[in-house]
Amino acid sequence: MIVRRSVHDRIAEAVCFQHIAPVFQPIVHLRSTRTVGFEVLARWTDSELGPVSPEEFIPAAQAKSLLAILTYNLIRSACTSASAWPHDFYLAFNVPPSLMQDVQAMTLLADAVTEAGFAFSRVRIEMTEAELVEDEQAVRRAVQLLKKKGMKVVLDDFGAGFSSLARLNEIDFDEIKIDGGFIRRIDIDADSRRIISAIVGLGHSLEIPVVAESVETPEHADFLRRLGCEYGQGWLFGRPAAAEDAHLFLGPGATPVSVESSVTLSPYHRQYQLETLYTASPVGLCFVDTAKRHVAANGAFCKMLDKPPEQVVGRTIREIFSTEVATMIEEIVDRKLLGEQGDPLEFQFPGTQEIYLIYHHRVVDDAGLLLGLSVVSLDITARKRAELALHDSERQYRNSVELSPTVMWIAEPDGSLSYISPMADEPQGRSLEDRLNSWYLRMNSDDRARVREHWLAWLPTGLPFETRFRVEWPVGTWRWVRSRARPQIVDGVVERWFGAFSDITREVELEQRVAELEAVLGSPRPGS
């Protein structure tokens, strides 16, 4: 109580002799991190009391009706100092609602800007929410006065004081500042993150910029950027500095940043973008929260369930599906919510022909709080049918290959085989030498010597070669093959032979049948 009396005793002297000085805290564009303005704060270091907190001397000045004079001195001093700084920026000053209701005080503040020679368009008056507004009409008149002179008016500490959406709608504010208490709790409080998101979305829906106070860490700034918050201030970007040092925040050669526009996708825009994506998407989309409710679902997803949207959205898994199906789906959802990784799942509802490929993605907020599952479902029925048809074709082809000994081969000029293509039934990794030996062993022993003698005798001719013989294909079954070869001749010399074995079993069988019929037809009839 002694200190508070001392502050009250000395506040008049401090105000009148302008011992309360301005300090400047930079306000930055969050995307570029360039300084676009300064919030001007009041600081008092008394010769007897030492540093005195604004929480003490502001109420003391207000109690002695000195707040208007204090604010006048602060604005004039700050604008005078800043008028010599380079680049384009603005200055923002806190003004409580009690002062905003005083037209004479507002005229005095405007005079301070004029006397300093600072442009009204570069001044923002921040209406704080520390007090309840008793005369809303007087505040509206004050705002009109300030805006008529070219100044902009900001709703400060939004969300933590006495403001309401009605006030935001009735008074033509140019900017919203989010109370720093919400920003400081980003890392630990999910409700604060939701409130920040809502305020940013509100600002964008009203088409006015949003500034976040008390941005202290890179994580805070990243979170705000992702939400679409345009501007921020706090210790991350610099602590309040006296006039002789504050201009350094502008940087040499810094270029001004427009504070009127933003290309960031705001929560407001994101909402309608997501609604459009959900509506137009040809795949099934839904969001399942941790209570296993379908918070959102598009038409394609509802069609997959063969249910209208009103029977899906807002319903739990057990409210939509039969007990058997719900148990199966909940088991999958529980595993995914716990963080199970893996490939997408193929799912088919009992008693249906449709097959779906289901992707599950855990959704968490910036603090890692689990919000639910984002589910994407693709109808792959046609693809599965095509795959089955392809597998059948491949199986038939493989069977035909296995039953038909069509093999390519290459021989050197001396007639020795240097290459033979793999056989369909041979083991993987077999060497070329083993493959050649296997072919020789498959040949009928009665044909082997004949074919080799024929082949070696033919080589000097350099003409296309053809012969036929029997091979064991598959094991235990004998088939006839035709071996044909053509020489590769370069400058009149045979460099190698290219040949192929092909199955002629059916052809030989037909020849044998014809020969048998001819023998019968050509034999003498009985009694002739």
Side-chain angles (χ1 to χ4, degrees):
M1 295 301 295
I2 295 176
V3 172
R4 182 162 295 280
R5 284 198 301 271
S6 297
V7 169
H8 276 261
D9 290 341
R10 299 185 63 82
I11 189 65
E13 179 183 349
V15 171
C16 293
F17 288 94
Q18 302 180 39
H19 292 159
I20 298 177
V23 294
F24 302 80
Q25 183 171 41
I27 301 171
V28 305
H29 186 273
L30 286 174
R31 289 289 178 186
S32 65
T33 67
R34 291 192 182 279
T35 299
V36 296
F38 296 91
E39 179 175 357
V40 180
L41 307 172
R43 293 293 183 267
W44 177 24
T45 301
D46 186 72
S47 58
E48 296 182 15
L49 303 176
V52 182
S53 168
E55 283 74 19
E56 290 188 87
F57 69 75
I58 294 295
Q62 192 168 14
K64 290 184 175 291
S65 300
L66 294 172
L67 189 57
I69 299 298
L70 189 159
T71 307
Y72 165 82
N73 289 336
L74 192 74
I75 292 177
R76 188 178 62 173
S77 175
C79 288
T80 299
S81 298
S83 61
W85 300 346
H87 313 305
D88 187 18
F89 57 91
Y90 65 83
L91 298 180
F93 301 91
N94 289 316
V95 177
S98 59
L99 213 58
M100 294 285 288
Q101 297 172 81
D102 186 342
V103 175
Q104 289 184 339
M106 291 297 98
T107 302
L108 188 64
L109 302 189
D111 290 343
V113 178
T114 301
E115 292 170 12
F118 202 73
F120 282 114
S121 62
R122 297 172 63 188
V123 175
R124 281 162 169 69
I125 300 299
E126 298 185 355
M127 176 177 161
T128 60
E129 295 191 89
E131 303 172 6
L132 182 65
V133 175
E134 297 177 353
D135 189 346
E136 293 279 358
Q137 188 63 33
V139 171
R140 283 195 288 272
R141 287 196 298 268
V143 170
Q144 290 172 0
L145 172 66
L146 297 172
K147 292 172 75 71
K148 186 175 181 180
K149 288 184 174 294
M151 288 184 274
K152 294 187 177 181
V153 182
V154 180
L155 182 57
D156 194 16
D157 298 328
F158 185 74
F162 297 97
S163 71
S164 66
L165 293 178
R167 178 185 296 176
L168 187 61
N169 185 50
E170 291 174 1
I171 299 178
D172 188 17
F173 289 105
D174 298 288
E175 192 174 274
I176 299 173
K177 295 190 80 170
I178 306 174
D179 182 74
F182 297 118
I183 307 301
R184 286 189 290 270
R185 293 195 295 272
I186 282 176
D187 300 330
I188 59 173
D189 183 23
D191 287 339
S192 291
R193 294 191 292 273
R194 295 187 183 102
I195 292 172
I196 295 168
S197 178
I199 295 174
V200 172
L202 177 63
H204 281 280
S205 67
L206 297 175
E207 298 184 350
I208 57 178
V210 177
V211 180
E213 299 179 304
S214 301
V215 181
E216 298 177 353
T217 68
E219 290 73 22
H220 291 170
D222 289 341
F223 174 79
L224 293 164
R225 290 188 193 102
R226 287 194 296 274
L227 284 182
C229 185
E230 297 97 328
Y231 309 104
Q233 69 180 87
W235 288 358
L236 176 64
F237 310 112
R239 299 194 177 218
E244 56 267 24
D245 298 320
H247 68 91
L248 298 175
F249 288 118
L250 297 170
T255 56
V257 177
S258 170
V259 297
E260 302 298 335
S261 63
S262 174
V263 296
T264 305
L265 188 65
S266 71
Y268 173 72
H269 293 96
R270 188 178 295 116
Q271 172 192 347
Y272 289 101
Q273 182 204 30
L274 289 176
E275 286 185 4
T276 301
L277 289 174
Y278 258 62
T279 302
S281 176
V283 302
L285 301 173
C286 81
F287 183 83
V288 180
D289 66 11
T290 54
K292 301 174 187 175
R293 292 175 302 180
H294 294 78
V295 178
N298 70 346
F301 185 83
C302 295
K303 183 179 179 181
M304 181 185 85
L305 305 186
D306 194 26
K307 295 181 182 294
E310 58 269 21
Q311 293 184 14
V312 177
V313 179
R315 305 292 184 91
T316 65
I317 293 173
R318 291 199 171 270
E319 289 174 331
I320 296 175
F321 303 102
S322 66
T323 302
E324 177 187 1
V325 175
T327 301
M328 179 171 50
I329 294 176
E330 282 188 337
E331 181 182 346
I332 296 171
V333 169
D334 286 337
R335 294 201 311 266
K336 296 300 180 179
L337 287 173
L338 290 173
E340 179 189 86
Q341 303 296 318
D343 296 329
L345 303 174
E346 288 188 8
F347 188 84
Q348 184 174 14
F349 289 102
T352 65
Q353 295 183 346
E354 289 76 18
I355 303 173
Y356 297 94
L357 191 63
I358 310 294
Y359 295 81
H360 298 84
H361 301 279
R362 296 174 81 247
V363 180
V364 299
D365 69 4
D366 285 80
L369 177 66
L370 179 63
L371 303 178
L373 287 179
S374 177
V375 182
V376 180
S377 59
L378 303 174
D379 187 341
I380 60 171
T381 307
R383 193 187 83 182
K384 293 297 292 184
R385 289 172 179 169
E387 288 179 355
L388 290 174
L390 179 60
H391 290 160
D392 287 342
S393 298
E394 290 177 346
R395 184 168 57 253
Q396 293 173 9
Y397 173 74
R398 182 170 181 82
N399 289 339
S400 65
V401 168
E402 290 178 350
L403 295 174
S404 176
T406 300
V407 178
M408 309 300 294
W409 56 272
I410 300 174
E412 298 305 307
D414 63 357
S416 60
L417 288 178
S418 57
Y419 173 79
I420 189 167
S421 62
M423 294 166 282
D425 63 344
E426 74 176 29
Q428 294 290 330
R430 173 177 280 184
S431 67
L432 179 61
E433 182 179 0
D434 290 340
R435 193 182 303 159
L436 294 172
N437 291 334
S438 177
W439 257 100
Y440 284 127
L441 293 174
R442 282 175 179 264
M443 292 181 66
N444 186 279
S445 58
D446 294 337
D447 297 334
R448 195 179 302 154
R450 173 184 60 80
V451 170
R452 179 167 179 75
E453 182 179 349
H454 183 194
W455 169 238
L456 294 176
W458 190 269
L459 287 174
T461 68
L463 299 175
F465 172 79
E466 180 176 326
T467 189
R468 57 185 184 176
F469 53 89
R470 289 163 291 179
V471 295
E472 192 176 17
W473 192 298
V475 176
T477 303
W478 289 97
R479 306 183 71 85
W480 281 92
V481 298
R482 177 183 287 115
S483 179
R484 288 177 173 173
R486 288 185 176 274
Q488 180 187 36
I489 300 176
V490 178
D491 297 330
V493 178
V494 175
E495 287 205 342
R496 62 179 55 85
W497 293 79
F498 292 92
F501 302 134
S502 56
D503 185 6
I504 59 168
T505 303
R506 184 60 176 163
E507 180 183 335
V508 173
E509 290 175 347
L510 289 174
E511 289 176 355
Q512 293 174 346
R513 180 58 177 160
V514 169
E516 292 173 355
L517 291 174
E518 288 179 345
V520 171
L521 293 174
S523 62
R525 295 182 180 181
S528 59

